[in-house]
Each structure stands twice: as C-alpha cells, then as structure tokens.
Amino acid sequence: MRLLTSRHLELLVGAAFVGVALVLIRESLLLGAGWGNAGPQPGLFPLISALVMGSSGLLVCAQAAKDGPAGSPFAGKSELVEVIKVAVPMMVAVLLLPYLGFYVVMALYMGLFATWYGRMRWYLVFLLAIAVAVIAFYAFEQGFKVLLPKSLLYGYLLPF
Amino acid sequence: MDPISGLTLGFSQVFQPYNLTFLFIGVVLGLVIGVLPGLGGTSGVAILLPLTLFIHPNAAIMMLAGLYWGALYGGVITSILFNIPGEPWSAVLVFDGHPLARAGRAGLALTTAFVSSLFAAFVSNVLFTFFAVPLAEFALGFGPPEIFAIMLMAFATFVGIGEGSSPLKTLIMITAGFLLGAVGLDLVTGQPRLTFGTITLLTGFNFVPVTIGLFGIAELLVSAEEQARGKVEEIKARLGWYDLVAAVREVGRRLWLLIAATLMGFWVGVMPGTGATPASFMGYGLARQYSRNPERFGKGAIEGVMAPQAAADAAGIGSLLPMVTLGVPGSPTAAVIMAGLFMWGLIPGPKLFQERPDFVWGLVGSLYVGHLIGFALCILATPLLAAIMRVPYALLTPFIVMISILGAYAINNSLFDVWVVLIFGLVGYILRKLKYPAAPLIVALVLGDPTESAFRQTLIMGHGSPAILFSRPISGPLMGVAILLFLLPLIRAVLTRRRAQVQEA
C-alpha cells in the first residue's frame, strides 16, 4: 500500500490555506475593506492578511507541484499507528469531560492509557492515577479554586 | 527611577516569601519541562498561564519567567546526556555536548554549559537593568507609526531569519495568526467580524488554547512517533566540585568568546520576533568561525557547548526587555508571557515603569535570583533531573493532556476552548511535519490587536496613506529594516543562483 507522501500533504495543506483565504477575503469584503467614517473599515486588515495568506499558499502549492512525483512518505506506518493510538484516547477523554467531570476523567484516562498503551501493571497504575487525581482535586479545587467540569453525579454522590 | 533604587525595590519584592516560593516553583517546573523532550518552555508557560490568574501578578511574572530560565537550563541535560534535544534552543548542544559525554566528560560538558549560562545571565541582567529605563523613556514618544513599524519588524525577523523554514510558510503562519486574532468583535466599531453568524466565535480565539494545542499537544504527538522508533540511551553523570572548578577554568580560558556570544545573544533576543533558538545556532556558528581548530567541532569541542548556551540564555533575558519596555515581545516565549500581562490587567509598555514599578523591578530582581536558583539546582540535582526521563511516556502523556485541558478550560470556563486545544493539536502536528513554524502564528495572534490598531491609527494620521510610515524619523528607518528582512530570503535565493551559475561557468 502506498502511503500518503509529504508532497500530497504539502499540496493538500497549501490548497486548504488558499481555500480558507478565499472564504475570508469574501467575508472581509462584505465587512467593508475601504475607508469609512472612522478611518479604515474593519475588513481592511483581515483582507490584507487573507490576500498574503492565499498568495503564499498558491506559491507553496506551485513549489510542491514543481518538485515532481518523488516524495518521502509523510510518516512510516508504525509511526502513524502510534500517533493515532495517542490521539484517539485524547479525544475520548475530552468527549467524556462534560459527563464524568475533570477528576474522574483524569484518573480513568491515566489509568487506562498507561495500562493499555504502556502495558504497565493495572493495579499499580490505577493506584497512582487515583492518587494524582486526588492531589489534583485538593490543589486545584481547594488551593487555586479553579472551577473545572464536574461529573453528572456532582452534588448527589460525589464532591467532584 | 534610577536602576540602583529600582533594583533595591526589585530584590525586596523577590525576597518576599510568597514571591520567592512562586519563583522557586517556576524554576523547578521549568527544569522538569526543559528535561522532557515532549514539552517545550513556550508551551509550559502557556499551560501554566491560566493558573496565574489565581495568584498575585508580581508572583505570577516571576513564576513564568522562572519557568523560562528553568527550561533554558533543563534542556541542556537532555541534549548532552540523551542525545535528543530537550528544548529547541538546546538542540545545537547535541552536536558537541553528546560526543563529550560519550568520551566520559559528561560532568564537564554539563557544568560548562551551566556556568556559561550563569555568566551570560549575569551580563545580560546587568544590561537589562541599565537599558530598561532609557529604552522605556525613549519609547514614551512613540506614536502609532513607530509601534506599527516595530511590530512589522518583528514579523519580518521571522521571515528573514526564520529557523530553516520556508519564508512562504512563515508568512502563511503569521497571517493565520492575524486572522485568528481578528475573529470576534472589531476593536474600533464593535462589529462582529469573521464570526460566520455564530455566537461562540464572538469572543474570538484566545491565544492560550491555540498555543497549548500548537505547541503542547502537537509536540506530544510528534514524540508519539518517536516511541515507535525505540528507546534512547542515557549516559550517567554526577557533578562534583572537581567539574565545577574545571568548568570555570575552561570558561575563563575562553572568556572573550563567551562575552561575544552573550552580547550577540542578547541582541538577537532584544530584536523583536525570534529568540533563544536562533541565538543558540548563531552562537555555535560564532564559536566555530573563530576557533583555531574548527575541525574539532561536532566531535566534542567545549566551545560548541559554551557559546550556544550563553547566547541562548542571553537571548531569553534580552527578549523580555522589549516586552516590558515597548510591549513588543522579543521571542515566542516572551509573547506568551506578555499575553499573561494582558490577562492580569497590565499593559506592557513604557508606562508600566511609572504605574507598576514594583512589578517591573520585581521581574528584574527575579532575573538574578531565578538564575541562581536554576544554577544551584542543576549543579546539585542533575542525576535527579535526568531521572525524569525514566518516567514512562504512557504515564506522562495523559498527565500533560489533562493539565493542558485544565489550562484551556480555566480561562473562560468553556469546553469550546478545550476543543480548540485538541483541534489545533492535530492540525499543529501535520503542520509541524510539513515544517510550518508554529511560533510566528502565536506571536501574530498575541500581537494581532496591537498591530491592527497601530495600523489603523497610522492610516488615520496619514489620511489614508501609509507614506507617513516612511517619513517619520524613527519609523522610517525601522520600516527600511523590516522591508530588508522581508526581502532577505529573495536576496539569498538570487545570490545562491548566481553563485551556482558562476560555478557552472
């Protein structure tokens, strides 16, 4: 299987910047990018920025296209797998945040990730993860008085 | 206030137990972050920034600056002992520091780096102390055109002497930062801008989640790749008095090189834009250029450790000088610290010296004390600090992610910011792989509003014409330098092509 090469991605990202720039150029023009009652209108600065971004993006694409078909793979397969294995649990943790609250997610995420990804002994890891979450609770909730997302059980069964 | 009484006030601030405690915490955290290769000083400062809302600004600035110094010292350990850069600004130490460690002189290499750092810090602190007030007074007369010219110079520096990344990509990242900063309410008319009709975007993008994502999370994902490549080897080192004496002797024999590297680093730091990382590479170049036997470089030349570290540390300190006096950060890390000032309700710039002398001089005092703390901890506890590298990645990653989430959430109590961290982390990972530099985006995001308002006021002063930028005595030359820096990559490309043609002929 041929993996994504850096050149493909270079073109893709360059084109994405051009696309974003086009949308923002339109927005800036709608806002007005000329001279108004209070001097330059709000759209002027974004318009200039978007124009520079779009033209630079085009040039990046042109350079990547000129470089020819040879290109190193963006990342080795094993490396990409590793990145996905780290990125997905991160996303799951954020998704669970509004339901389980910061401290429960912290203990679960640390415990499960170290057990699964690091293949560490689960009872040791969980002992540590819970200890860290408890220390974090006392430090942030009581010490710094930071308001963090609470679990659905907050106020009924749990203090966090 | 004259520098001496300012410094007295500063030290009285630093030695208050409350402030000293947070300075100490900052340095220790900086050392830990510096040693860890997955997390840089800039993201460390960004992650901690929201927590500083809950402490006094005087202690907060000391903690964040202390973290900067700690990270400057900590990166040395990883680079020399593990052959991987703990920080971008210590990357160059790998070239000669690690060969020295391999040859059994790890103790000497480390101590020399620390002594060089401390020396550079002391010289730079003195420069800082005596230049701060004159520079601030000079800047009091600045109008919008001057401020805009300085801002433009900061961005031109990224384009002109960026760290090996394509100038086009740097331009894209700068403008992306501006555009992200423009989202929200327009600063003059109050109109919603680039919000696409949503309410979430009305408040705009806070730079903290963006910074944590682009630096912190993206760095974690890059180090995930390295997990696939296997373990790193470690060379053990224990530092003793013997090393300290030997290091001081080595430094003493090359004092002029050290002074030159320090002054150059300080200058690079003061110049708005880039900071310690290019300074360290330039310090290395300086040492090799003036060495009597340049062939030893890359095989364990002690100058290759000394000069880059001195330049990096001096640049770190130098980068704070324009930040407090002009409101223009000299480095990406300084930009994040400056964003902290805004958060605490302070406006960096010349007036700060009159309004909050305790704050400014407290920072100056902490430059001295923070470096001494960092130096002492490194000499005493290097084996302990190196042991941090043994904490498994699988435990560290979720911990760093959770602290990042906490930082992002605490700013506005909003889950939107947490998603911003995650999305910018993933995008940042891809951009990093394609060598898009992250630092210009952050600096542009922090400086977006001041740059734009200076730009608009300049145009109003010039009745719609930017010509006023070139006709005023200070902004004119600054604009000239900025344009030259913007054109530098083009000039360089033309020169290389011509040289290639000459060689062919």
Side-chain angles (χ1 to χ4, degrees):
Chain A
M1 188 185 94
R2 225 168 120 58
L3 274 167
L4 204 62
T5 65
S6 310
R7 185 171 155 264
H8 288 142
L9 213 70
E10 199 79 79
L11 282 168
L12 208 71
V13 171
F17 276 119
V18 175
V20 171
L22 286 176
V23 173
L24 295 179
I25 288 171
R26 186 173 166 273
E27 281 287 311
S28 314
L29 288 175
L30 286 178
L31 270 166
W35 193 262
N37 295 331
Q41 286 180 319
L44 181 60
F45 191 71
L47 179 70
I48 297 173
S49 304
L51 283 173
V52 174
M53 183 158 114
S55 39
S56 304
L58 273 179
L59 287 171
V60 166
C61 285
Q63 252 173 15
K66 206 181 69 183
D67 283 349
S72 52
F74 172 62
K77 201 174 175 187
S78 59
E79 288 166 358
L80 219 52
V81 168
E82 217 66 27
V83 171
I84 292 168
K85 274 161 82 177
V86 175
V88 171
M90 229 181 254
M91 265 187 268
V92 174
V94 175
L95 275 175
L96 290 176
L97 212 54
Y99 307 103
L100 298 180
F102 182 83
Y103 302 102
V104 177
V105 169
M106 188 175 199
L108 279 178
Y109 178 27
M110 282 187 78
L112 288 173
F113 189 76
T115 311
W116 168 70
Y117 185 88
R119 304 216 180 95
M120 300 164 81
R121 263 166 281 177
W122 68 270
Y123 45 91
L124 284 179
V125 171
F126 266 93
L127 212 63
L128 188 73
I130 291 168
V132 170
V134 169
I135 293 170
F137 177 74
Y138 280 100
F140 300 127
E141 203 76 15
Q142 321 272 354
F144 282 107
K145 305 226 186 304
V146 190
L147 283 172
L148 288 169
K150 301 292 191 306
S151 64
L152 289 177
L153 293 175
Y154 173 66
Y156 300 104
L157 291 167
L158 298 172
F160 41 78
Chain B
M1 194 177 286
D2 68 287
I4 300 301
S5 47
L7 213 52
T8 320
L9 171 68
F11 282 124
S12 74
Q13 280 289 325
V14 178
F15 287 111
Q16 282 173 20
Y18 179 82
N19 292 344
L20 197 60
T21 310
F22 280 103
L23 175 61
F24 189 80
I25 293 174
V27 175
V28 171
L29 285 175
L31 283 168
V32 172
I33 287 168
V35 169
L36 291 173
L39 199 61
T42 313
S43 37
V45 174
I47 292 172
L48 277 180
L49 202 50
L51 287 181
T52 60
L53 275 176
F54 303 92
I55 59 177
H56 192 275
N58 290 10
I61 185 79
M62 290 183 199
M63 180 166 98
L64 295 185
L67 199 144
Y68 200 176
W69 319 138
L72 273 162
Y73 280 110
V76 173
I77 297 173
T78 320
S79 291
I80 291 179
L81 294 184
F82 294 87
N83 202 22
I84 39 176
E87 290 289 327
W89 49 65
S90 341
V92 69
L93 296 183
V94 166
F95 302 161
D96 282 283
H98 191 67
L100 273 170
R102 246 168 216 280
R105 299 169 78 196
L108 179 72
L110 286 167
T111 333
T112 307
F114 298 144
V115 171
S116 311
S117 221
L118 190 70
F119 175 84
F122 188 77
V123 173
S124 310
N125 288 345
V126 172
L127 290 173
F128 194 114
T129 310
F130 287 91
F131 273 127
V133 176
L135 199 60
E137 274 165 9
F138 180 59
L140 271 176
F142 281 10
E146 285 75 28
I147 293 173
F148 180 73
I150 294 181
M151 303 279 188
L152 204 65
M153 211 168 79
F155 297 112
T157 314
F158 278 116
V159 176
I161 52 168
E163 295 142 34
S165 45
S166 133
L168 287 172
K169 291 179 176 171
T170 310
L171 271 178
I172 291 181
M173 293 304 265
I174 292 170
T175 47
F178 282 151
L179 289 165
L180 281 171
V183 174
L185 298 177
D186 175 46
L187 36 113
V188 178
T189 61
Q191 263 174 284
R193 268 207 302 195
L194 316 182
T195 56
F196 300 97
T198 60
I199 295 172
T200 328
L201 288 181
L202 272 183
T203 46
F205 283 93
N206 194 301
F207 75 93
V208 169
V210 177
T211 311
I212 296 175
L214 276 184
F215 279 93
I217 302 296
E219 275 165 21
L220 275 183
L221 292 176
V222 173
S223 31
E225 274 185 6
E226 274 145 26
Q227 298 298 307
R229 291 191 204 120
K231 283 248 161 241
V232 287
E233 47 164 340
E234 177 195 353
I235 295 173
K236 289 236 166 32
R238 194 174 284 280
L239 310 184
W241 284 111
Y242 173 78
D243 289 308
L244 197 57
V245 173
V248 170
R249 196 175 299 147
E250 290 285 348
V251 166
R253 273 168 50 195
R254 297 171 180 83
L255 204 58
W256 285 112
L257 172 68
L258 207 59
I259 291 173
T262 303
L263 294 178
M264 190 205 65
F266 191 75
W267 175 244
V268 173
V270 170
M271 284 281 289
T274 55
T277 312
S280 68
F281 281 93
M282 288 155 108
Y284 191 77
L286 187 82
R288 191 164 54 181
Q289 201 167 351
Y290 291 100
S291 168
R292 262 179 234 135
N293 21 10
E295 71 285 349
R296 281 189 310 114
F297 277 78
K299 294 175 198 141
I302 195 83
E303 300 99 307
V305 174
M306 219 180 265
Q309 181 61 20
D313 205 322
I317 296 170
S319 74
L320 294 185
L321 183 61
M323 191 271 281
V324 279
T325 54
L326 311 176
V328 182
S331 71
T333 315
V336 181
I337 296 179
M338 184 171 118
L341 264 70
F342 289 127
M343 260 175 45
W344 308 321
L346 301 171
I347 294 165
K351 291 204 188 86
L352 200 60
F353 279 81
Q354 293 154 10
E355 284 160 10
R356 290 296 299 275
D358 56 321
F359 177 85
V360 181
W361 289 108
L363 167 65
V364 178
S366 82
L367 298 180
Y368 292 84
V369 181
H371 268 95
L372 281 175
I373 295 175
F375 180 77
L377 286 175
C378 281
I379 295 296
L380 294 175
T382 290
L384 198 67
L385 286 166
I388 297 168
M389 286 290 283
R390 262 175 256 146
V391 176
Y393 177 84
L395 268 177
L396 213 54
T397 301
F399 183 73
I400 295 174
V401 171
M402 287 315 283
I403 297 295
S404 304
I405 289 175
L406 179 136
Y409 185 85
I411 291 250
N412 284 326
N413 292 341
S414 109
L415 279 172
F416 172 72
D417 284 338
V418 177
W419 282 107
V420 170
V421 169
L422 217 56
I423 290 162
F424 274 86
L426 293 174
V427 172
Y429 164 72
I430 295 171
L431 291 180
R432 197 168 277 246
K433 294 285 292 182
L434 294 178
K435 297 213 165 63
Y436 279 84
L441 190 152
I442 301 304
V443 175
L445 184 58
V446 173
L447 289 186
D449 278 356
T451 307
E452 185 182 356
S453 63
F455 173 69
R456 282 161 87 164
Q457 285 164 357
T458 304
L459 283 183
I460 293 172
M461 283 172 73
H463 304 287
S465 156
I468 185 175
L469 283 167
F470 297 93
S471 59
R472 291 175 46 122
I474 295 172
S475 68
L478 288 176
M479 285 300 288
V481 175
I483 289 171
L484 201 71
L485 280 167
F486 270 123
L487 293 180
L488 203 59
L490 268 178
I491 298 169
R492 219 179 276 144
V494 170
L495 283 181
T496 359
R497 192 167 300 169
R498 189 164 297 168
R499 204 170 296 151
Q501 278 168 352
V502 168
Q503 273 168 0
E504 272 170 36

